[in-house]
């Protein structure tokens, strides 16, 4: 009688114990509704469709629908050998159901023996709680029940880190916990930085795939050439350079009201509120005063170029990175009035000197007629014509000049196109390259065009569309850098 009831029960029920259900989340690609619909329809046709053919079909469907997926290094433990849409054998399902009902009835009759009853359950029903190696030796008929359950049980044990959070400047207090790999990298950085003479070549090698937030300020100072490799000289160097900067303030800043400097100061004063207007940090009066001093002093000390619109954007990554040395919470919303005067002076001076080191390598971008940008745009055009002739010909067909969209990429180093956190990550790599801001930047710009080539080729009036696509590139910043590196090696 129990067997007949169980048969009727499983005929009425649409789900079986242990059946594979669609899983959504950061570690699984979105499920195509067509696949889900086909999966539900085909569950009733287990005996008519061979499992091997169905498995191959599922894989090809999966590949077609995840063409933009890329490995971020978190999938080492994923098991892709098991079929994605596997249907249970009806005999196994019935046997399982009968065993479950029998065990359940025993528990209800003799609740006082609940502990001893669990020992009578066959071994294959302990898979969710057990993590021993003995599970790996069980027969294949049990694996179709066990593997999906075991996988879903084990997923919460691994930290699920969103893609953007992995590649962003993790300055929020709610940042995900560090993985073992990230802890190992951080320890390696600390060993390098604490050595008597830091190996800058090794530091560049470690920094290329990204610098941990905890050591980014001192790493950037070293990579930019602001700090010496010798640890004993760093404190004195910082003290001397900071005093030197504020000596410039006392010497030159009052001249901003003089007639021959008024135009420069007026333009700086206009541009500062436009710098990252959506980030509250940069709308604070105290921060804007700091930026005005940094930009004016740089313009006075570099009369060949003076101040040019776009240079104001180049201060922001350094300011945020050096501010994060004193702030653990969300930097973009932090009130700088909570910091001491000495902290603010240190952040201001370090931002000035590191920005100066950066601009020393690309100053021809900002001299009269901006010849550096003209050369770089022309070089980008030649590079794209060799890497992807189809995209290049598409531009020519619709009479699109590279200068129309690439001028700002060179003038602002993509800062108007990318979120600030992605710019900081990108600059980790730029500072690890010998000529990152002047040379490697070209390959990054080309990599953006190649990454979005399909969308570009589908659009005639593509410039607005391309700007929208670039704003989405925060999720792909690491793969874009890899594209750029491949292009650099090959071309």
């Amino acid at each position: 009688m129990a067997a007949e009831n169980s048969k009727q029960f499983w005929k009425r029920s649409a789900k079986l114990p242990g059946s594979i259900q669609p899983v959504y989340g950061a570690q699984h690609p979105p499920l195509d509704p067509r696949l889900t619909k086909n999966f539900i329809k085909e569950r009733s046709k287990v005996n008519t469709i061979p499992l091997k053919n169905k498995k191959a079909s599922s894989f090809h469907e999966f590949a077609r629908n995840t063409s933009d997926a890329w490995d971020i290094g978190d999938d080492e433990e994923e098991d892709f050998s098991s079929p994605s849409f596997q249907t249970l054998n009806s005999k196994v399902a019935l046997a399982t159901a009968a065993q479950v009902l029998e065990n359940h009835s025993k528990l209800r009759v003799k609740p006082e023996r609940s502990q001893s009853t669990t020992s009578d359950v066959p071994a294959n029903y302990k898979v969710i709680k057990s993590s021993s190696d003995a599970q790996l030796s069980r027969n294949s008929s049990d694996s179709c029940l066990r593997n999906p359950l075991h996988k879903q049980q084990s997923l919460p044990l691994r930290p699920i880190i969103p893609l953007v959070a992995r590649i962003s400047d993790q300055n929020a207090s709610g940042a995900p916990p560090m993985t073992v790999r990230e802890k190992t990298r951080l320890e390696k950085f600390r060993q390098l930085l604490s050595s008597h003479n830091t190996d800058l070549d090794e530091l560049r090698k470690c920094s290329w795939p990204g610098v941990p937030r905890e050591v980014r300020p001192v790493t950037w100072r070293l990579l930019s050439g602001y700090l010496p490799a010798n640890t004993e000289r760093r404190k004195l160097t910082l003290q001397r350079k900071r005093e030197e900067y504020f000596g410039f303030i006392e010497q030159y800043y009052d001249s901003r009201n003089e007639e021959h400097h008024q135009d420069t100061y007026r333009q700086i004063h206009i541009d500062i509120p436009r710098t990252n207007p959506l980030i509250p940090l940069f709308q604070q009066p105290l921060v804007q005063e700091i930026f005005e001093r940094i930009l004016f002093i740089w313009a006075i000390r570099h009369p060949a170029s003076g101040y040019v619109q776009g240079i104001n954007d180049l201060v922001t990554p350094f300011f945020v990175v050096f501010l994060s040395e004193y702030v653990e919470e969300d930097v973009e919303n932090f009130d700088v009035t909570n910091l001491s005067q000495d902290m603010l002076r240190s952040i201001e001076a370090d931002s000035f000197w590191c920005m100066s080191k950066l601009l020393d390598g690309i100053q021809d971008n900002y001299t009269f007629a901006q010849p550096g940008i003209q050369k770089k745009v022309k070089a980008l055009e030649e590079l794209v014509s060799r890497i992807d002739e189809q995209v290049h010909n598409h531009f020519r067909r619709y009479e699109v000049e590279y200068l129309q969209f690439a001028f700002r990429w060179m003038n602002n180093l993509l800062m108007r196109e990318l979120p600030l956190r992605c710019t900081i990550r990108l600059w980790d790599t730029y500072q690890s390259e010998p000529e990152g801001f002047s040379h490697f930047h070209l390959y990054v710009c080309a990599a953006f065009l190649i990454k979005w080539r399909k969308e570009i080729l589908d659009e005639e009036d593509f410039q607005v569309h391309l700007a929208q696509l670039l704003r989405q590139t925060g999720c792909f910043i690491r793969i874009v850098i890899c594209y750029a590196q491949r292009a650099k090696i090959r071309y």
Side-chain angles (χ1 to χ4, degrees):
M1 186 66 181
E4 291 179 1
N5 291 337
S6 63
K7 288 181 181 179
Q8 292 177 359
F9 171 79
W10 292 117
K11 287 180 181 179
R12 293 193 303 269
S13 179
K15 297 182 180 180
L16 300 177
S19 61
I20 303 174
Q21 302 298 322
V23 180
Y24 298 89
Q27 298 183 5
H28 299 271
L31 204 61
D32 193 318
R34 295 172 297 177
L35 294 181
T36 310
K37 190 179 297 182
N38 294 337
F39 169 59
I40 296 173
K41 289 180 179 179
E42 291 176 4
R43 286 181 62 179
S44 60
K45 303 178 182 179
V46 179
N47 297 326
T48 59
I49 301 177
L51 180 58
K52 186 174 183 180
N53 294 337
K54 190 175 180 181
K55 179 180 178 181
S57 174
S58 299
F59 173 79
H60 291 301
E61 290 286 348
F62 173 83
R64 281 197 297 269
N65 286 280
T66 56
S67 59
D68 63 341
W70 57 286
D71 182 19
I72 61 170
D74 289 332
D75 299 325
E76 296 86 356
E77 300 177 10
E78 297 288 352
D79 180 15
F80 295 106
S81 60
S82 60
S84 299
F85 297 108
Q86 184 176 2
T87 307
L88 295 175
N89 183 281
S90 58
K91 293 183 179 180
V92 175
L94 291 174
T96 302
Q99 188 65 51
V100 170
L101 291 173
E102 182 182 351
N103 292 335
H104 184 66
S105 62
K106 289 181 180 180
L107 290 173
R108 294 189 64 181
V109 173
K110 299 179 180 180
E112 68 278 2
R113 295 181 54 192
S114 58
Q115 294 183 353
S116 61
T117 304
T118 56
S119 62
D120 298 330
V121 179
N124 61 339
Y125 290 98
K126 298 181 181 179
V127 299
I128 295 179
K129 295 183 179 180
S130 175
S131 59
S132 64
D133 295 336
Q135 293 178 353
L136 301 177
S137 62
R138 292 173 186 165
N139 56 51
S140 59
S141 63
D142 292 335
S143 65
C144 63
L145 292 172
R146 180 178 67 252
N147 289 345
L149 291 176
H150 180 68
K151 186 178 182 62
Q152 293 182 26
Q153 178 71 11
S154 61
L155 279 176
L157 299 180
R158 298 178 56 211
I160 301 176
I161 303 176
L163 188 62
V164 174
R166 286 296 304 274
I167 64 177
S168 67
D169 178 26
Q170 296 179 11
N171 52 24
S173 58
M178 295 177 66
T179 63
V180 175
R181 178 176 176 274
E182 289 168 339
K183 290 179 180 179
T184 303
R185 290 191 72 242
L186 178 59
E187 184 60 30
K188 186 173 183 179
F189 269 94
R190 284 175 171 161
Q191 290 177 0
L192 276 171
L193 297 172
S194 61
S195 59
H196 182 68
N197 283 296
T198 301
D199 187 342
L200 294 181
D201 290 335
E202 184 65 22
L203 184 62
R204 290 189 185 95
K205 182 180 177 182
C206 293
S207 302
W208 201 94
V211 181
R213 179 182 182 271
E214 292 81 359
V215 294
R216 183 175 278 137
V218 63
T219 301
W220 276 27
R221 292 188 187 104
L222 286 166
L223 293 179
S224 65
Y226 173 43
L227 275 186
N230 187 287
T231 53
E232 295 178 355
R233 296 173 50 204
R234 290 178 191 171
K235 185 176 181 180
L236 292 176
T237 300
L238 280 177
Q239 182 179 355
R240 177 174 57 83
K241 298 297 285 185
R242 289 168 179 172
E243 290 176 355
E244 184 179 355
Y245 168 73
F246 285 101
F248 295 152
I249 296 290
E250 294 178 4
Q251 184 176 357
Y252 298 117
Y253 193 59
D254 288 340
S255 67
R256 67 188 184 280
N257 297 318
E258 297 178 4
E259 185 176 354
H260 58 289
H261 289 153
Q262 280 184 355
D263 290 342
T264 298
Y265 180 74
R266 185 184 301 111
Q267 189 61 56
I268 292 173
H269 190 72
I270 291 172
D271 288 347
I272 291 299
R274 300 174 181 172
T275 305
N276 292 297
L278 300 180
I279 299 179
L281 172 68
F282 301 115
Q283 302 309 307
Q284 299 178 38
L286 185 56
V287 174
Q288 294 184 356
E289 291 174 9
I290 290 173
F291 278 35
E292 284 183 1
R293 288 194 292 267
I294 290 174
L295 295 172
F296 183 77
I297 296 302
W298 188 89
I300 294 297
R301 298 188 71 248
H302 297 81
S305 62
Y307 173 76
V308 178
Q309 285 181 304
I311 296 179
N312 56 306
D313 290 321
L314 305 184
V315 186
T316 55
F318 293 113
F319 185 83
V320 168
V321 167
F322 297 138
L323 176 62
S324 69
E325 195 170 20
Y326 304 98
V327 179
E328 294 184 358
E329 58 188 89
D330 183 8
V331 171
E332 294 182 355
N333 295 288
F334 181 74
D335 184 359
V336 296
T337 58
N338 294 323
L339 295 178
S340 67
Q341 188 67 25
D342 288 341
M343 292 178 181
L344 289 173
R345 288 169 63 91
S346 299
I347 294 169
E348 180 177 348
D350 294 352
S351 299
F352 169 81
W353 287 114
C354 288
M355 186 198 72
S356 299
K357 293 287 186 181
L358 184 161
L359 289 172
D360 286 347
I362 58 172
Q363 190 172 354
D364 60 345
N365 285 10
Y366 306 104
T367 54
F368 179 74
Q370 298 183 276
I373 291 181
Q374 305 283 347
K375 293 177 183 177
K376 289 179 176 66
V377 171
K378 186 63 177 177
L380 176 64
E381 182 177 355
E382 294 176 358
L383 182 61
V384 173
S385 67
R386 284 183 285 153
I387 295 176
D388 196 326
E389 188 175 3
Q390 188 177 2
V391 170
H392 177 69
N393 291 336
H394 182 76
F395 292 157
R396 296 181 62 183
R397 184 181 306 114
Y398 292 101
E399 299 180 349
V400 175
E401 296 291 337
Y402 282 76
L403 202 62
Q404 292 175 313
F405 61 88
F407 179 87
R408 194 168 78 168
W409 296 4
M410 306 302 171
N411 190 58
N412 303 94
L413 297 178
L414 289 170
M415 288 199 58
R416 299 284 179 90
E417 279 67 37
L418 296 176
L420 180 58
R421 62 181 183 275
C422 297
T423 299
I424 292 172
R425 167 60 191 91
L426 187 60
W427 284 23
D428 288 342
T429 300
Y430 280 0
Q431 297 196 80
S432 304
E433 288 280 332
E435 296 178 333
F437 293 97
S438 60
H439 185 64
F440 189 71
H441 179 68
L442 290 177
Y443 294 94
V444 172
C445 293
F448 279 125
L449 294 174
I450 305 309
K451 173 69 183 71
W452 299 112
R453 69 182 307 276
K454 183 179 182 299
E455 289 78 4
I456 291 172
L457 294 174
D458 290 342
E459 291 285 334
E460 295 181 11
D461 184 14
F462 80 99
Q463 291 193 56
V464 175
H465 186 61
L466 182 60
Q468 294 172 349
L469 292 173
L470 286 173
R471 292 188 185 97
Q472 302 172 19
T473 311
C475 296
F476 302 96
I477 193 70
R478 187 181 297 178
I479 198 170
V480 167
I481 293 173
C482 292
Y483 282 170
Q485 178 68 358
R486 292 173 189 171
K488 179 186 175 185
I489 294 172
R490 186 174 179 182
Y491 300 96

